[in-house]
mmCIF file with all atom_site columns, all heavy atoms in Angstrom:
data_model
loop_
_atom_site.group_PDB
_atom_site.id
_atom_site.type_symbol
_atom_site.label_atom_id
_atom_site.label_alt_id
_atom_site.label_comp_id
_atom_site.label_asym_id
_atom_site.label_entity_id
_atom_site.label_seq_id
_atom_site.pdbx_PDB_ins_code
_atom_site.Cartn_x
_atom_site.Cartn_y
_atom_site.Cartn_z
_atom_site.occupancy
_atom_site.B_iso_or_equiv
_atom_site.pdbx_formal_charge
_atom_site.auth_seq_id
_atom_site.auth_comp_id
_atom_site.auth_asym_id
_atom_site.auth_atom_id
_atom_site.pdbx_PDB_model_num
ATOM 1   N N   . SER A 1 12  ? 17.053 -3.989  18.761  1.00 0.00 ? 12  SER A N   1
ATOM 2   C CA  . SER A 1 12  ? 17.152 -3.223  17.526  1.00 0.00 ? 12  SER A CA  1
ATOM 3   C C   . SER A 1 12  ? 17.379 -4.189  16.363  1.00 0.00 ? 12  SER A C   1
ATOM 4   O O   . SER A 1 12  ? 17.711 -5.362  16.585  1.00 0.00 ? 12  SER A O   1
ATOM 5   C CB  . SER A 1 12  ? 18.320 -2.221  17.611  1.00 0.00 ? 12  SER A CB  1
ATOM 6   O OG  . SER A 1 12  ? 18.433 -1.478  16.403  1.00 0.00 ? 12  SER A OG  1
ATOM 7   N N   . VAL A 1 13  ? 17.181 -3.694  15.161  1.00 0.00 ? 13  VAL A N   1
ATOM 8   C CA  . VAL A 1 13  ? 17.492 -4.465  13.957  1.00 0.00 ? 13  VAL A CA  1
ATOM 9   C C   . VAL A 1 13  ? 18.282 -3.577  13.012  1.00 0.00 ? 13  VAL A C   1
ATOM 10  O O   . VAL A 1 13  ? 18.164 -2.354  13.040  1.00 0.00 ? 13  VAL A O   1
ATOM 11  C CB  . VAL A 1 13  ? 16.216 -4.997  13.249  1.00 0.00 ? 13  VAL A CB  1
ATOM 12  C CG1 . VAL A 1 13  ? 15.479 -5.979  14.138  1.00 0.00 ? 13  VAL A CG1 1
ATOM 13  C CG2 . VAL A 1 13  ? 15.287 -3.856  12.839  1.00 0.00 ? 13  VAL A CG2 1
ATOM 14  N N   . SER A 1 28  ? 13.278 6.542   0.842   1.00 0.00 ? 28  SER A N   1
ATOM 15  C CA  . SER A 1 28  ? 14.019 7.004   -0.342  1.00 0.00 ? 28  SER A CA  1
ATOM 16  C C   . SER A 1 28  ? 13.057 7.564   -1.382  1.00 0.00 ? 28  SER A C   1
ATOM 17  O O   . SER A 1 28  ? 13.357 8.555   -2.055  1.00 0.00 ? 28  SER A O   1
ATOM 18  C CB  . SER A 1 28  ? 14.831 5.845   -0.944  1.00 0.00 ? 28  SER A CB  1
ATOM 19  O OG  . SER A 1 28  ? 15.819 5.400   -0.032  1.00 0.00 ? 28  SER A OG  1
ATOM 20  N N   . VAL A 1 29  ? 11.891 6.923   -1.506  1.00 0.00 ? 29  VAL A N   1
ATOM 21  C CA  . VAL A 1 29  ? 10.859 7.441   -2.420  1.00 0.00 ? 29  VAL A CA  1
ATOM 22  C C   . VAL A 1 29  ? 10.365 8.803   -1.912  1.00 0.00 ? 29  VAL A C   1
ATOM 23  O O   . VAL A 1 29  ? 10.215 9.760   -2.685  1.00 0.00 ? 29  VAL A O   1
ATOM 24  C CB  . VAL A 1 29  ? 9.690  6.445   -2.534  1.00 0.00 ? 29  VAL A CB  1
ATOM 25  C CG1 . VAL A 1 29  ? 8.507  7.065   -3.276  1.00 0.00 ? 29  VAL A CG1 1
ATOM 26  C CG2 . VAL A 1 29  ? 10.146 5.171   -3.235  1.00 0.00 ? 29  VAL A CG2 1
ATOM 27  N N   . TYR A 1 39  ? 6.673  20.281  -1.180  1.00 0.00 ? 39  TYR A N   1
ATOM 28  C CA  . TYR A 1 39  ? 5.300  20.161  -0.682  1.00 0.00 ? 39  TYR A CA  1
ATOM 29  C C   . TYR A 1 39  ? 4.567  18.948  -1.251  1.00 0.00 ? 39  TYR A C   1
ATOM 30  O O   . TYR A 1 39  ? 3.349  18.880  -1.237  1.00 0.00 ? 39  TYR A O   1
ATOM 31  C CB  . TYR A 1 39  ? 4.532  21.454  -0.960  1.00 0.00 ? 39  TYR A CB  1
ATOM 32  C CG  . TYR A 1 39  ? 5.188  22.624  -0.268  1.00 0.00 ? 39  TYR A CG  1
ATOM 33  C CD1 . TYR A 1 39  ? 6.030  23.486  -0.984  1.00 0.00 ? 39  TYR A CD1 1
ATOM 34  C CD2 . TYR A 1 39  ? 5.027  22.829  1.104   1.00 0.00 ? 39  TYR A CD2 1
ATOM 35  C CE1 . TYR A 1 39  ? 6.676  24.539  -0.334  1.00 0.00 ? 39  TYR A CE1 1
ATOM 36  C CE2 . TYR A 1 39  ? 5.667  23.879  1.743   1.00 0.00 ? 39  TYR A CE2 1
ATOM 37  C CZ  . TYR A 1 39  ? 6.486  24.726  1.022   1.00 0.00 ? 39  TYR A CZ  1
ATOM 38  O OH  . TYR A 1 39  ? 7.133  25.748  1.659   1.00 0.00 ? 39  TYR A OH  1
ATOM 39  N N   . GLU A 1 45  ? 4.160  2.629   0.970   1.00 0.00 ? 45  GLU A N   1
ATOM 40  C CA  . GLU A 1 45  ? 4.367  1.362   1.680   1.00 0.00 ? 45  GLU A CA  1
ATOM 41  C C   . GLU A 1 45  ? 5.146  0.405   0.779   1.00 0.00 ? 45  GLU A C   1
ATOM 42  O O   . GLU A 1 45  ? 4.877  0.332   -0.424  1.00 0.00 ? 45  GLU A O   1
ATOM 43  C CB  . GLU A 1 45  ? 3.017  0.724   2.049   1.00 0.00 ? 45  GLU A CB  1
ATOM 44  C CG  . GLU A 1 45  ? 2.040  1.662   2.739   1.00 0.00 ? 45  GLU A CG  1
ATOM 45  C CD  . GLU A 1 45  ? 2.445  1.999   4.164   1.00 0.00 ? 45  GLU A CD  1
ATOM 46  O OE1 . GLU A 1 45  ? 3.320  1.317   4.712   1.00 0.00 ? 45  GLU A OE1 1
ATOM 47  O OE2 . GLU A 1 45  ? 1.859  2.935   4.736   1.00 0.00 ? 45  GLU A OE2 1
ATOM 48  N N   . VAL A 1 65  ? 8.852  12.553  -10.957 1.00 0.00 ? 65  VAL A N   1
ATOM 49  C CA  . VAL A 1 65  ? 9.099  11.389  -10.086 1.00 0.00 ? 65  VAL A CA  1
ATOM 50  C C   . VAL A 1 65  ? 8.157  10.286  -10.568 1.00 0.00 ? 65  VAL A C   1
ATOM 51  O O   . VAL A 1 65  ? 7.083  10.064  -10.027 1.00 0.00 ? 65  VAL A O   1
ATOM 52  C CB  . VAL A 1 65  ? 8.856  11.726  -8.602  1.00 0.00 ? 65  VAL A CB  1
ATOM 53  C CG1 . VAL A 1 65  ? 9.315  10.567  -7.724  1.00 0.00 ? 65  VAL A CG1 1
ATOM 54  C CG2 . VAL A 1 65  ? 9.592  13.003  -8.206  1.00 0.00 ? 65  VAL A CG2 1
ATOM 55  N N   . ASP A 1 80  ? 22.995 0.211   -1.640  1.00 0.00 ? 80  ASP A N   1
ATOM 56  C CA  . ASP A 1 80  ? 23.686 0.901   -0.551  1.00 0.00 ? 80  ASP A CA  1
ATOM 57  C C   . ASP A 1 80  ? 23.686 0.082   0.735   1.00 0.00 ? 80  ASP A C   1
ATOM 58  O O   . ASP A 1 80  ? 24.658 0.082   1.479   1.00 0.00 ? 80  ASP A O   1
ATOM 59  C CB  . ASP A 1 80  ? 23.037 2.265   -0.314  1.00 0.00 ? 80  ASP A CB  1
ATOM 60  C CG  . ASP A 1 80  ? 23.832 3.104   0.659   1.00 0.00 ? 80  ASP A CG  1
ATOM 61  O OD1 . ASP A 1 80  ? 25.005 3.389   0.381   1.00 0.00 ? 80  ASP A OD1 1
ATOM 62  O OD2 . ASP A 1 80  ? 23.294 3.477   1.729   1.00 0.00 ? 80  ASP A OD2 1
ATOM 63  N N   . TYR A 1 83  ? 23.041 -5.524  -0.485  1.00 0.00 ? 83  TYR A N   1
ATOM 64  C CA  . TYR A 1 83  ? 22.485 -6.820  -0.900  1.00 0.00 ? 83  TYR A CA  1
ATOM 65  C C   . TYR A 1 83  ? 22.891 -7.175  -2.336  1.00 0.00 ? 83  TYR A C   1
ATOM 66  O O   . TYR A 1 83  ? 22.454 -6.548  -3.306  1.00 0.00 ? 83  TYR A O   1
ATOM 67  C CB  . TYR A 1 83  ? 20.960 -6.818  -0.770  1.00 0.00 ? 83  TYR A CB  1
ATOM 68  C CG  . TYR A 1 83  ? 20.534 -7.205  0.628   1.00 0.00 ? 83  TYR A CG  1
ATOM 69  C CD1 . TYR A 1 83  ? 19.899 -6.301  1.466   1.00 0.00 ? 83  TYR A CD1 1
ATOM 70  C CD2 . TYR A 1 83  ? 20.785 -8.487  1.118   1.00 0.00 ? 83  TYR A CD2 1
ATOM 71  C CE1 . TYR A 1 83  ? 19.520 -6.650  2.755   1.00 0.00 ? 83  TYR A CE1 1
ATOM 72  C CE2 . TYR A 1 83  ? 20.418 -8.848  2.408   1.00 0.00 ? 83  TYR A CE2 1
ATOM 73  C CZ  . TYR A 1 83  ? 19.788 -7.926  3.209   1.00 0.00 ? 83  TYR A CZ  1
ATOM 74  O OH  . TYR A 1 83  ? 19.429 -8.294  4.486   1.00 0.00 ? 83  TYR A OH  1
ATOM 75  N N   . VAL A 1 110 ? -6.578 18.178  4.459   1.00 0.00 ? 110 VAL A N   1
ATOM 76  C CA  . VAL A 1 110 ? -5.219 18.577  4.828   1.00 0.00 ? 110 VAL A CA  1
ATOM 77  C C   . VAL A 1 110 ? -4.850 19.938  4.255   1.00 0.00 ? 110 VAL A C   1
ATOM 78  O O   . VAL A 1 110 ? -4.212 20.752  4.910   1.00 0.00 ? 110 VAL A O   1
ATOM 79  C CB  . VAL A 1 110 ? -4.208 17.506  4.356   1.00 0.00 ? 110 VAL A CB  1
ATOM 80  C CG1 . VAL A 1 110 ? -2.780 17.938  4.653   1.00 0.00 ? 110 VAL A CG1 1
ATOM 81  C CG2 . VAL A 1 110 ? -4.500 16.170  5.027   1.00 0.00 ? 110 VAL A CG2 1
ATOM 82  N N   . GLU A 1 133 ? 19.490 8.904   30.909  1.00 0.00 ? 133 GLU A N   1
ATOM 83  C CA  . GLU A 1 133 ? 20.248 7.656   31.011  1.00 0.00 ? 133 GLU A CA  1
ATOM 84  C C   . GLU A 1 133 ? 21.485 7.644   30.112  1.00 0.00 ? 133 GLU A C   1
ATOM 85  O O   . GLU A 1 133 ? 22.440 6.921   30.380  1.00 0.00 ? 133 GLU A O   1
ATOM 86  C CB  . GLU A 1 133 ? 19.349 6.468   30.665  1.00 0.00 ? 133 GLU A CB  1
ATOM 87  C CG  . GLU A 1 133 ? 18.252 6.224   31.688  1.00 0.00 ? 133 GLU A CG  1
ATOM 88  C CD  . GLU A 1 133 ? 17.375 5.036   31.322  1.00 0.00 ? 133 GLU A CD  1
ATOM 89  O OE1 . GLU A 1 133 ? 17.785 4.214   30.482  1.00 0.00 ? 133 GLU A OE1 1
ATOM 90  O OE2 . GLU A 1 133 ? 16.276 4.915   31.891  1.00 0.00 ? 133 GLU A OE2 1
ATOM 91  N N   . LEU A 1 174 ? 19.600 -4.571  30.591  1.00 0.00 ? 174 LEU A N   1
ATOM 92  C CA  . LEU A 1 174 ? 20.369 -3.833  31.586  1.00 0.00 ? 174 LEU A CA  1
ATOM 93  C C   . LEU A 1 174 ? 19.742 -3.972  32.967  1.00 0.00 ? 174 LEU A C   1
ATOM 94  O O   . LEU A 1 174 ? 18.523 -4.086  33.085  1.00 0.00 ? 174 LEU A O   1
ATOM 95  C CB  . LEU A 1 174 ? 20.432 -2.345  31.224  1.00 0.00 ? 174 LEU A CB  1
ATOM 96  C CG  . LEU A 1 174 ? 21.096 -1.970  29.902  1.00 0.00 ? 174 LEU A CG  1
ATOM 97  C CD1 . LEU A 1 174 ? 21.141 -0.453  29.744  1.00 0.00 ? 174 LEU A CD1 1
ATOM 98  C CD2 . LEU A 1 174 ? 22.496 -2.562  29.789  1.00 0.00 ? 174 LEU A CD2 1
ATOM 99  N N   . PRO A 1 181 ? 20.603 2.766   35.066  1.00 0.00 ? 181 PRO A N   1
ATOM 100 C CA  . PRO A 1 181 ? 21.259 1.563   34.549  1.00 0.00 ? 181 PRO A CA  1
ATOM 101 C C   . PRO A 1 181 ? 22.689 1.452   35.085  1.00 0.00 ? 181 PRO A C   1
ATOM 102 O O   . PRO A 1 181 ? 23.412 2.455   35.137  1.00 0.00 ? 181 PRO A O   1
ATOM 103 C CB  . PRO A 1 181 ? 21.258 1.786   33.033  1.00 0.00 ? 181 PRO A CB  1
ATOM 104 C CG  . PRO A 1 181 ? 21.173 3.263   32.856  1.00 0.00 ? 181 PRO A CG  1
ATOM 105 C CD  . PRO A 1 181 ? 20.397 3.790   34.024  1.00 0.00 ? 181 PRO A CD  1
ATOM 106 N N   . GLY A 1 237 ? 17.747 -11.530 5.394   1.00 0.00 ? 237 GLY A N   1
ATOM 107 C CA  . GLY A 1 237 ? 17.190 -10.433 4.613   1.00 0.00 ? 237 GLY A CA  1
ATOM 108 C C   . GLY A 1 237 ? 15.846 -10.805 4.029   1.00 0.00 ? 237 GLY A C   1
ATOM 109 O O   . GLY A 1 237 ? 15.189 -11.743 4.478   1.00 0.00 ? 237 GLY A O   1
ATOM 110 N N   . ALA A 1 259 ? 5.736  5.088   25.978  1.00 0.00 ? 259 ALA A N   1
ATOM 111 C CA  . ALA A 1 259 ? 4.541  4.759   25.189  1.00 0.00 ? 259 ALA A CA  1
ATOM 112 C C   . ALA A 1 259 ? 4.751  5.088   23.715  1.00 0.00 ? 259 ALA A C   1
ATOM 113 O O   . ALA A 1 259 ? 5.603  5.896   23.337  1.00 0.00 ? 259 ALA A O   1
ATOM 114 C CB  . ALA A 1 259 ? 3.355  5.543   25.731  1.00 0.00 ? 259 ALA A CB  1
ATOM 115 N N   . SER A 1 266 ? 8.034  5.762   8.500   1.00 0.00 ? 266 SER A N   1
ATOM 116 C CA  . SER A 1 266 ? 8.684  5.734   7.184   1.00 0.00 ? 266 SER A CA  1
ATOM 117 C C   . SER A 1 266 ? 7.698  5.821   6.031   1.00 0.00 ? 266 SER A C   1
ATOM 118 O O   . SER A 1 266 ? 6.608  5.240   6.078   1.00 0.00 ? 266 SER A O   1
ATOM 119 C CB  . SER A 1 266 ? 9.551  4.479   7.050   1.00 0.00 ? 266 SER A CB  1
ATOM 120 O OG  . SER A 1 266 ? 10.687 4.575   7.877   1.00 0.00 ? 266 SER A OG  1
ATOM 121 N N   . THR A 1 271 ? 3.090  16.190  6.496   1.00 0.00 ? 271 THR A N   1
ATOM 122 C CA  . THR A 1 271 ? 1.708  16.530  6.838   1.00 0.00 ? 271 THR A CA  1
ATOM 123 C C   . THR A 1 271 ? 1.081  15.403  7.654   1.00 0.00 ? 271 THR A C   1
ATOM 124 O O   . THR A 1 271 ? 0.048  15.601  8.294   1.00 0.00 ? 271 THR A O   1
ATOM 125 C CB  . THR A 1 271 ? 0.829  16.792  5.593   1.00 0.00 ? 271 THR A CB  1
ATOM 126 O OG1 . THR A 1 271 ? 0.674  15.576  4.853   1.00 0.00 ? 271 THR A OG1 1
ATOM 127 C CG2 . THR A 1 271 ? 1.430  17.877  4.724   1.00 0.00 ? 271 THR A CG2 1
ATOM 128 N N   . TYR A 1 279 ? 7.902  13.513  16.061  1.00 0.00 ? 279 TYR A N   1
ATOM 129 C CA  . TYR A 1 279 ? 9.180  14.222  16.094  1.00 0.00 ? 279 TYR A CA  1
ATOM 130 C C   . TYR A 1 279 ? 9.081  15.442  17.009  1.00 0.00 ? 279 TYR A C   1
ATOM 131 O O   . TYR A 1 279 ? 10.000 15.727  17.795  1.00 0.00 ? 279 TYR A O   1
ATOM 132 C CB  . TYR A 1 279 ? 9.573  14.671  14.690  1.00 0.00 ? 279 TYR A CB  1
ATOM 133 C CG  . TYR A 1 279 ? 10.006 13.571  13.747  1.00 0.00 ? 279 TYR A CG  1
ATOM 134 C CD1 . TYR A 1 279 ? 10.282 13.848  12.419  1.00 0.00 ? 279 TYR A CD1 1
ATOM 135 C CD2 . TYR A 1 279 ? 10.144 12.253  14.165  1.00 0.00 ? 279 TYR A CD2 1
ATOM 136 C CE1 . TYR A 1 279 ? 10.691 12.857  11.535  1.00 0.00 ? 279 TYR A CE1 1
ATOM 137 C CE2 . TYR A 1 279 ? 10.546 11.256  13.300  1.00 0.00 ? 279 TYR A CE2 1
ATOM 138 C CZ  . TYR A 1 279 ? 10.822 11.555  11.984  1.00 0.00 ? 279 TYR A CZ  1
ATOM 139 O OH  . TYR A 1 279 ? 11.217 10.580  11.108  1.00 0.00 ? 279 TYR A OH  1
ATOM 140 N N   . ALA A 1 304 ? -6.905 15.572  15.155  1.00 0.00 ? 304 ALA A N   1
ATOM 141 C CA  . ALA A 1 304 ? -8.027 15.078  14.344  1.00 0.00 ? 304 ALA A CA  1
ATOM 142 C C   . ALA A 1 304 ? -7.732 15.411  12.881  1.00 0.00 ? 304 ALA A C   1
ATOM 143 O O   . ALA A 1 304 ? -7.167 16.476  12.595  1.00 0.00 ? 304 ALA A O   1
ATOM 144 C CB  . ALA A 1 304 ? -9.333 15.731  14.774  1.00 0.00 ? 304 ALA A CB  1
ATOM 145 N N   . THR A 1 320 ? 9.820  13.274  38.460  1.00 0.00 ? 320 THR A N   1
ATOM 146 C CA  . THR A 1 320 ? 11.202 13.792  38.469  1.00 0.00 ? 320 THR A CA  1
ATOM 147 C C   . THR A 1 320 ? 11.228 15.284  38.153  1.00 0.00 ? 320 THR A C   1
ATOM 148 O O   . THR A 1 320 ? 12.297 15.872  38.063  1.00 0.00 ? 320 THR A O   1
ATOM 149 C CB  . THR A 1 320 ? 12.068 13.061  37.428  1.00 0.00 ? 320 THR A CB  1
ATOM 150 O OG1 . THR A 1 320 ? 11.621 13.403  36.106  1.00 0.00 ? 320 THR A OG1 1
ATOM 151 C CG2 . THR A 1 320 ? 12.004 11.553  37.608  1.00 0.00 ? 320 THR A CG2 1
ATOM 152 N N   . VAL A 1 323 ? 9.375  21.567  38.067  1.00 0.00 ? 323 VAL A N   1
ATOM 153 C CA  . VAL A 1 323 ? 8.465  22.685  37.803  1.00 0.00 ? 323 VAL A CA  1
ATOM 154 C C   . VAL A 1 323 ? 7.040  22.163  37.680  1.00 0.00 ? 323 VAL A C   1
ATOM 155 O O   . VAL A 1 323 ? 6.813  20.958  37.551  1.00 0.00 ? 323 VAL A O   1
ATOM 156 C CB  . VAL A 1 323 ? 8.867  23.444  36.513  1.00 0.00 ? 323 VAL A CB  1
ATOM 157 C CG1 . VAL A 1 323 ? 10.244 24.064  36.655  1.00 0.00 ? 323 VAL A CG1 1
ATOM 158 C CG2 . VAL A 1 323 ? 8.828  22.507  35.307  1.00 0.00 ? 323 VAL A CG2 1
ATOM 159 N N   . ASP A 1 324 ? 6.079  23.090  37.705  1.00 0.00 ? 324 ASP A N   1
ATOM 160 C CA  . ASP A 1 324 ? 4.677  22.701  37.584  1.00 0.00 ? 324 ASP A CA  1
ATOM 161 C C   . ASP A 1 324 ? 4.374  22.235  36.155  1.00 0.00 ? 324 ASP A C   1
ATOM 162 O O   . ASP A 1 324 ? 4.635  22.951  35.190  1.00 0.00 ? 324 ASP A O   1
ATOM 163 C CB  . ASP A 1 324 ? 3.794  23.912  37.937  1.00 0.00 ? 324 ASP A CB  1
ATOM 164 C CG  . ASP A 1 324 ? 2.321  23.579  37.833  1.00 0.00 ? 324 ASP A CG  1
ATOM 165 O OD1 . ASP A 1 324 ? 1.800  22.907  38.731  1.00 0.00 ? 324 ASP A OD1 1
ATOM 166 O OD2 . ASP A 1 324 ? 1.703  23.992  36.828  1.00 0.00 ? 324 ASP A OD2 1
ATOM 167 N N   . VAL A 1 335 ? 5.875  28.526  23.043  1.00 0.00 ? 335 VAL A N   1
ATOM 168 C CA  . VAL A 1 335 ? 7.204  28.512  22.432  1.00 0.00 ? 335 VAL A CA  1
ATOM 169 C C   . VAL A 1 335 ? 7.170  27.880  21.034  1.00 0.00 ? 335 VAL A C   1
ATOM 170 O O   . VAL A 1 335 ? 7.859  28.329  20.114  1.00 0.00 ? 335 VAL A O   1
ATOM 171 C CB  . VAL A 1 335 ? 8.211  27.757  23.341  1.00 0.00 ? 335 VAL A CB  1
ATOM 172 C CG1 . VAL A 1 335 ? 9.558  27.577  22.658  1.00 0.00 ? 335 VAL A CG1 1
ATOM 173 C CG2 . VAL A 1 335 ? 8.392  28.508  24.656  1.00 0.00 ? 335 VAL A CG2 1
ATOM 174 N N   . ILE A 1 343 ? 4.703  22.811  13.143  1.00 0.00 ? 343 ILE A N   1
ATOM 175 C CA  . ILE A 1 343 ? 5.752  21.803  13.358  1.00 0.00 ? 343 ILE A CA  1
ATOM 176 C C   . ILE A 1 343 ? 6.647  21.708  12.130  1.00 0.00 ? 343 ILE A C   1
ATOM 177 O O   . ILE A 1 343 ? 7.882  21.711  12.232  1.00 0.00 ? 343 ILE A O   1
ATOM 178 C CB  . ILE A 1 343 ? 5.116  20.429  13.664  1.00 0.00 ? 343 ILE A CB  1
ATOM 179 C CG1 . ILE A 1 343 ? 4.406  20.448  15.012  1.00 0.00 ? 343 ILE A CG1 1
ATOM 180 C CG2 . ILE A 1 343 ? 6.174  19.324  13.631  1.00 0.00 ? 343 ILE A CG2 1
ATOM 181 C CD1 . ILE A 1 343 ? 3.555  19.205  15.285  1.00 0.00 ? 343 ILE A CD1 1
ATOM 182 N N   . SER A 1 358 ? 15.791 5.747   8.509   1.00 0.00 ? 358 SER A N   1
ATOM 183 C CA  . SER A 1 358 ? 15.070 4.478   8.381   1.00 0.00 ? 358 SER A CA  1
ATOM 184 C C   . SER A 1 358 ? 15.681 3.317   9.157   1.00 0.00 ? 358 SER A C   1
ATOM 185 O O   . SER A 1 358 ? 15.051 2.270   9.295   1.00 0.00 ? 358 SER A O   1
ATOM 186 C CB  . SER A 1 358 ? 14.961 4.100   6.898   1.00 0.00 ? 358 SER A CB  1
ATOM 187 O OG  . SER A 1 358 ? 16.235 3.930   6.318   1.00 0.00 ? 358 SER A OG  1
ATOM 188 N N   . ASP A 1 370 ? 22.599 19.715  7.378   1.00 0.00 ? 370 ASP A N   1
ATOM 189 C CA  . ASP A 1 370 ? 21.617 19.989  6.323   1.00 0.00 ? 370 ASP A CA  1
ATOM 190 C C   . ASP A 1 370 ? 20.178 19.920  6.827   1.00 0.00 ? 370 ASP A C   1
ATOM 191 O O   . ASP A 1 370 ? 19.234 19.989  6.043   1.00 0.00 ? 370 ASP A O   1
ATOM 192 C CB  . ASP A 1 370 ? 21.797 19.005  5.159   1.00 0.00 ? 370 ASP A CB  1
ATOM 193 C CG  . ASP A 1 370 ? 21.466 17.556  5.538   1.00 0.00 ? 370 ASP A CG  1
ATOM 194 O OD1 . ASP A 1 370 ? 21.263 17.288  6.739   1.00 0.00 ? 370 ASP A OD1 1
ATOM 195 O OD2 . ASP A 1 370 ? 21.398 16.704  4.630   1.00 0.00 ? 370 ASP A OD2 1
#
Side-chain angles (χ1 to χ4, degrees):
S12 180
V13 296
S28 296
V29 170
Y39 299 100
E45 310 288 346
V65 188
D80 188 60
Y83 274 114
V110 177
E133 292 180 17
L174 299 183
S266 289
T271 67
Y279 288 175
T320 68
V323 297
D324 180 76
V335 173
I343 292 170
S358 61
D370 67 351

